[in-house]
Amino acid sequence: MHDPFPLAPPTLLTALIQPLANRFSLETLPLHIHEILLSTLFYHIICAYISPSISPLLFPRTYPKLSKRTRLNWDVHVVSLVQSLLINAAALWVMWTDKERGAMGWEERVWGYTGGGGMIQGFAAGYFLWDLGICIRNVGVFGWGLLAHAVAALVVFGLGFRPFVNFYGPTFILYELSSPFLNFHWFFDKLHMTGSRPQWYNGVILLFSFFCCRLVWGTYQSIRVYQDVWAALHYDPATKSKPVFEPARDSDGMLIMHFAGEYVVPTWLACVYLGSNIVLNTLNFYWFGKMIETIKKRFSEKGQKKRGAGKEKEAGVLVEGLMDSSTLITEITVDGGVVVSENGQVSDKGMMEAAFMNGGSFVEVEQTQVRQRKA
């Protein structure tokens, strides 16, 4: 299957990237470098320009009030949502229509190449290249776990341009089938829909899809790629004849082993690829446990908040004593009272929020009227 992307790589661009491709034995990189760069630019435009322009129009009561840190997180989630929808559709289409890919044996799965698989690797590498840049510049926001994920994913898809296990590019990108629901869950929180029925239904689908796509499907495909790479490590081209691929009728199957070279897999290559794959799988199992904890916490806190809010509304009187500060900030209006935090006295809601953000976990309220909030 030829690369179905309608634009061919510019001659100047391929000439510029060729020395790098030769240096690292990335034989098919010049064929897909334009897809890598275009996808990286595409996701940068979404994050830097499209999301900040459209989000305030779609969510005028939410997005403009977000902190700078949370706005960045919002824009990144928009990119992740768009990318997961596009790459999943493209990967499923390639897996369905690429006849040569469907007829591959272990030799072709390790050393073979099709343009459709190369296109998926190009788009995936472009996204993870953008993701790596975002994580490096904002590691304090996204954490070391996401940075490790970006590095490992870029290594896995980058090595596919040798080509090496090009077959598994569309296979492993299907991890992203759970990503839309992960992004929706995050957006529900920011839209003040925590604990709502839509978030609950989405959470169930998220856990189910994550478990099926990343843990079950991902682990199974990882075992398969380990088996194929193990067979390749023990393949001796001096004593065994090179595998011959029989192309389907009226196809481009004769090109599949064009870049196979000497049919050798260096030990370092197997270790780097399989090591990166282990990192990704380990993170998936860790994140699955964290997602279960987060979803349970979301709905537990929502139930407690509803019960607490109901009691306050029934009373409608002055409240004195200690109250959880996050509930206080979101559920009451300060009117004529004195609010005392660990940092001293504050007299308005804005100062109270600042005091809480500076480390105060509780605030004391004296003679503060609790008003009912209008629906």
Side-chain angles (χ1 to χ4, degrees):
M1 181 181 187
H2 281 305
D3 186 347
F5 192 64
L7 299 179
T11 304
L12 178 59
L13 186 59
T14 57
L16 291 174
I17 202 64
Q18 192 65 56
L20 180 66
N22 295 338
R23 175 67 178 81
F24 294 100
S25 301
L26 303 176
E27 300 293 335
T28 63
L29 178 61
L31 301 177
H32 301 282
I33 184 61
H34 62 308
E35 295 163 349
I36 297 176
L37 297 181
L38 285 175
S39 58
T40 301
L41 178 62
F42 175 65
Y43 295 128
H44 170 71
I45 291 174
I46 292 178
C47 184
Y49 301 104
I50 295 179
S51 178
S53 300
I54 295 180
S55 297
L57 301 178
L58 298 178
F59 307 99
R61 296 183 178 180
T62 302
Y63 186 85
K65 299 178 182 179
L66 299 176
S67 66
K68 182 178 180 180
R69 176 191 181 105
T70 307
R71 284 191 189 184
L72 173 62
N73 224 325
W74 177 291
D75 298 333
V76 168
H77 276 278
V78 170
V79 174
S80 176
L81 178 60
V82 172
Q83 184 266 348
S84 59
L85 294 174
L86 292 178
I87 201 68
N88 286 329
L92 290 171
W93 179 79
V94 167
M95 294 173 69
W96 181 263
T97 59
D98 192 343
K99 297 179 181 179
E100 292 76 40
R101 183 182 181 278
M104 287 182 173
W106 75 264
E107 298 95 339
E108 292 80 28
R109 291 197 297 268
V110 174
W111 292 295
Y113 163 83
T114 68
M119 180 191 71
I120 298 300
Q121 286 187 322
F123 289 150
Y127 170 75
F128 290 118
L129 180 61
W130 170 85
D131 188 37
L132 178 61
I134 285 290
C135 289
I136 290 175
R137 294 195 304 270
N138 304 278
V139 67
V141 177
F142 301 110
W144 293 100
L146 285 179
L147 178 59
H149 178 272
V151 172
L154 185 59
V155 168
V156 166
F157 283 96
L159 290 175
F161 294 112
R162 291 183 66 90
F164 178 67
V165 293
N166 174 268
F167 172 90
Y168 288 98
T171 299
F172 285 122
I173 204 63
L174 292 184
Y175 280 11
E176 299 295 324
L177 283 171
S178 63
S179 294
F181 307 105
L182 180 62
N183 290 307
F184 286 140
H185 184 83
W186 189 90
F187 285 127
F188 280 133
D189 280 342
K190 297 302 172 284
L191 293 173
H192 308 294
M193 297 178 65
T194 300
S196 63
R197 286 191 176 184
Q199 190 183 48
W200 167 253
Y201 298 142
N202 179 80
V204 172
I205 299 174
L206 167 60
L207 292 178
F208 177 78
S209 61
F210 194 98
F211 178 80
C212 293
C213 298
R214 296 190 179 234
L215 304 191
V216 177
W217 171 263
T219 302
Y220 169 68
Q221 294 299 331
S222 294
I223 293 174
R224 290 190 64 193
V225 77
Y226 296 159
Q227 292 173 335
D228 288 345
V229 172
W230 180 262
L233 284 171
H234 292 79
Y235 178 83
D236 186 359
T239 59
K240 299 179 182 179
S241 60
K242 289 185 178 182
V244 178
F245 183 80
E246 297 295 338
R249 183 175 299 177
D250 298 328
S251 72
D252 300 309
M254 68 287 298
L255 300 177
I256 284 182
M257 304 303 283
H258 178 72
F259 300 101
E262 296 299 324
Y263 292 77
V264 174
V265 174
T267 303
W268 71 263
L269 176 60
C271 291
V272 170
Y273 185 90
L274 299 182
S276 298
N277 194 276
I278 290 173
V279 170
L280 294 175
N281 284 324
T282 302
L283 288 172
N284 285 332
F285 278 92
Y286 171 76
W287 284 335
F288 185 70
K290 298 299 289 185
M291 281 194 299
I292 293 177
E293 293 179 8
T294 300
I295 291 176
K296 290 174 62 177
K297 183 179 179 181
R298 290 286 191 276
F299 290 92
S300 175
E301 289 180 347
K302 184 65 176 180
Q304 294 176 2
K305 185 178 291 187
K306 282 186 176 180
R307 290 192 294 270
K311 293 179 180 179
E312 292 168 8
K313 288 181 179 180
E314 291 175 1
V317 295
L318 300 181
V319 177
E320 295 187 63
L322 294 177
M323 181 184 297
D324 178 78
S325 55
S326 61
T327 303
L328 178 67
I329 291 173
T330 57
E331 296 296 333
I332 71 171
T333 301
V334 178
D335 184 14
V338 178
V339 183
V340 181
S341 73
E342 296 175 2
N343 299 320
Q345 292 189 350
V346 294
S347 59
D348 58 33
K349 184 178 178 181
M351 294 180 65
M352 177 180 67
E353 292 177 346
F356 167 61
M357 294 303 293
N358 286 330
S361 58
F362 291 90
V363 292
E364 186 174 356
V365 183
E366 299 178 359
Q367 297 180 348
T368 301
Q369 183 179 4
V370 179
R371 297 178 177 177
Q372 285 189 340
R373 299 182 64 186
K374 297 182 180 179

